[in-house]
C-alpha cells in the first residue's frame, strides 16, 4: 500500500486504518487515552488470516505522522512475533522465510514500513518519465528502490534496507492506494505514478509479475474500489477526452494546454510503470488534440511548447511499444509533430536559409 500524508489527514486516517485492519491490528492507548502503539486483534476475533502489508510512505506522511509510522511498524513486528500458525499469519510466514534465507533477526525480517531517507521526498520516477531519458523499465524500478527503501522500525532512525524492501515486495500480489479528491486523480498529477506506479514497477521486478493494482475511490459519498486500469480509463473519458473539461482547461490558455499535455505524460507514466492503458486512450487523444487541424492550431497558438510536447509524447508511446496505431494515424501524427516542432523553432517553409 502507498500511504500519503494529506489523504490520511483529510480522511481521518482511512488508508492507515485499512493497513491496520489487513494486518489484524489496532491502535493501543494508555490510561489517559494517548496513542502509545499497536496491539493485535486475536485471530479468533479476526476470523481470517493476517495479511502481510508492505507500506510505502510518502515523505510527507513520514514527516506529519511519526506516531502513526511507528504504530504501523509495531503492528507488523507484533504480527511477525505472534505464536500463530503461518497459514493464518502471512506476516509471520514471510518474516520466518526471510530469516531463514538471509540469516537476519526477526526485528529486521518484520520491517514493513518504508519511505525515503530522512529529509528526502518522492521516488522521482515521475521526473525520469517526464524527462524521457530512460532506456528500460528496469531503470524505473531501480530508481524507486534507491529512493524509497529506507525502513522505519518501531523505534530508532531509518535504515537503508534495499534488499529487504525488494524481498518484501516480492510477495505482493495486490497493490493499493486511495484517492480522496475529485480534482486530483491518477492522471491529473504525476505523483500517483511516482508512488503507486513506481511501486508496481518494483513489484514486477521483485516478483516477475505485475500486482493487481487497485484504487480506493473515496471522493464520493460511497467509497468504491476500482482497478487502476478502470480508474485511468474513467478519468480519461471524463476529463481529458470530455469537451466540457478540456474546453474549461483551454479557457486558461497557456497553463490549460500545459495541463492537457501533462495528462498525456502521466498516461504514458502508467504504461511505463506496467499498467495496461487501453489503446483507445492514445488513439482518441491523438485524434482529438493533434490530428484535428483546428484544435492543433488552438493548442499551438496558446502554448506552442506544450502542443509540440504532447505530440512528441504520443510518438514516444508508440516508440516504447505502449501504443500501436495504424500506419495512417502514425504518419499523420509524425507530420503534425514535425509541423509543431518547426513552429516552435521558427522554421518557415520556403524561407531563405
Ligand atoms: C502526501 O500528502 O503525502 C503527498 C501529497 C502530494 C503528492 C505526494 C504525496
Ligand atoms: Mg509536476
Amino acid at each position: 500500500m502507498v500511504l500519503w500524508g494529506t489523504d490520511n489527514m483529510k480522511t481521518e486516517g482511512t488508508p492507515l486504518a485499512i493497513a491496520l485492519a489487513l494486518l489484524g491490528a489496532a491502535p493501543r492507548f494508555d490510561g489517559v487515552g494517548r496513542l502509545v502503539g499497536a496491539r493485535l486483534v486475536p485471530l479468533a476475533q479476526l476470523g481470517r488470516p493476517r495479511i502481510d502489508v508492505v507500506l510505502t510512505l510518502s515523505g510527507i506522511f513520514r514527516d506529519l505522522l511519526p506516531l502513526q509510522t511507528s504504530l504501523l511498524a509495531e503492528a507488523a513486528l507484533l504480527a511477525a512475533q505472534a505464536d500463530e500458525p503461518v497459514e493464518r499469519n502471512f506476516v509471520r510466514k514471510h518474516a520466518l522465510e526471510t530469516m531463514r534465507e538471509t540469516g537476519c533477526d526477526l526485528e529486521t525480517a518484520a520491517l514493513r514500513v518504508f519511505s525515503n531517507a530522512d529529509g528526502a521526498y518522492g521516488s522521482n520516477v515521475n521526473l525520469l518519465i517526464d524527462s524521457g531519458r530512460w532506456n528500460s523499465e528496469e531503470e524505473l524500478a531501480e530508481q524507486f528502490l534507491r529512493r524509497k527503501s529506507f525502513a522505519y522500525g518501531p523505534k530508532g532512525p531509518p535504515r537503508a534496507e534495499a534488499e529487504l524492501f525488494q524481498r518484501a515486495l516480492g510477495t505482493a500480489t495486490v497493490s493499493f492506494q486511495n484517492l480522496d479528491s475529485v480534482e486530483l486523480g491518477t492522471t491529473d498529477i504525476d505523483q500517483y505514478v511516482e508512488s503507486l506506479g513506481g511501486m508496481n514497477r518494483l513489484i514486477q521486478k521483485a516478483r516477475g509479475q505485475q500486482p493487481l493494482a487497485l484504487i480506493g475511490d473515496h471522493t464520493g459519498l460511497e467509497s468504491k474500489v476500482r482497478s487502476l486500469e478502470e480508474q485511468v480509463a474513467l478519468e480519461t473519458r471524463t476529463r481529458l477526452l470530455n469537451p466540457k473539461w478540456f474546453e474549461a482547461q483551454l479557457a486558461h490558455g497557456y497553463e490549460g494546454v500545459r495541463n492537457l499535455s501533462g495528462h498525456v505524460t502521466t498516461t504514458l507514466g502508467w504504461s511505463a510503470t506496467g499498467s495496461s492503458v487501453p489503446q483507445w486512450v492514445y488513439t482518441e487523444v491523438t485524434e482529438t488534440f493533434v490530428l484535428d487541424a483546428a484544435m492543433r492550431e488552438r493548442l499551438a497558438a496558446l502554448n506552442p511548447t506544450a502542443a509540440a510536447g504532447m505530440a512528441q509524447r504520443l510518438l514516444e508511446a508508440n516508440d516504447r511499444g505502449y501504443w500501436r496505431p495504424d500506419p495512417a494515424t502514425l504518419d499523420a501524427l509524425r507530420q503534425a509533430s514535425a509541423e509543431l516542432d518547426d513552429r516552435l523553432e521558427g522554421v518557415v517553409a520556403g524561407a531563405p536559409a
Side-chain angles (χ1 to χ4, degrees), residues 249-270:
Q249 292 292 321
L250 291 175
H252 289 274
Y254 183 92
E255 173 62 11
V257 182
R258 197 202 58 78
N259 202 16
L260 296 180
S261 187
H263 271 72
V264 179
T265 298
T266 305
T267 303
L268 183 137
W270 286 121

Side-chain angles (χ1 to χ4, degrees), residues 32-145:
V32 288
R34 290 176 304 192
L35 175 65
V36 287
R39 66 179 172 83
L40 291 184
V41 176
L43 276 183
Q45 190 184 330
L46 200 58
R48 57 159 173 84
R50 298 188 197 285
I51 306 301
D52 194 357
V53 186
V54 181
L55 295 150
T56 299
L57 308 182
S58 70
I60 297 177
F61 183 108
R62 172 211 52 204
D63 288 356
L64 291 176
L65 301 165
L67 279 180
Q68 290 76 0
T69 300
S70 47
L71 164 75
L72 289 164
E74 191 185 337
L77 177 60
L78 291 174
Q81 289 169 333
D83 185 11
E84 294 169 347
V86 290
E87 65 282 359
R88 307 278 294 153
N89 179 339
F90 294 109
V91 186
R92 182 164 175 80
K93 175 174 189 280
H94 296 146
L96 294 179
E97 284 169 8
T98 299
M99 282 173 72
R100 254 198 318 275
E101 288 162 22
T102 70
C104 71
D105 57 24
L106 185 65
E107 282 71 24
T108 302
L111 290 169
R112 290 293 180 276
V113 182
F114 296 85
S115 186
N116 294 85
D118 243 346
Y121 302 84
S123 74
N124 294 349
V125 165
N126 51 338
L127 305 184
L128 202 52
I129 289 167
D130 193 45
S131 77
R133 294 202 195 99
W134 52 280
N135 295 313
S136 74
E137 289 153 352
E138 178 99 358
E139 277 173 52
L140 305 178
E142 279 161 11
Q143 170 74 11
F144 189 83
L145 181 63

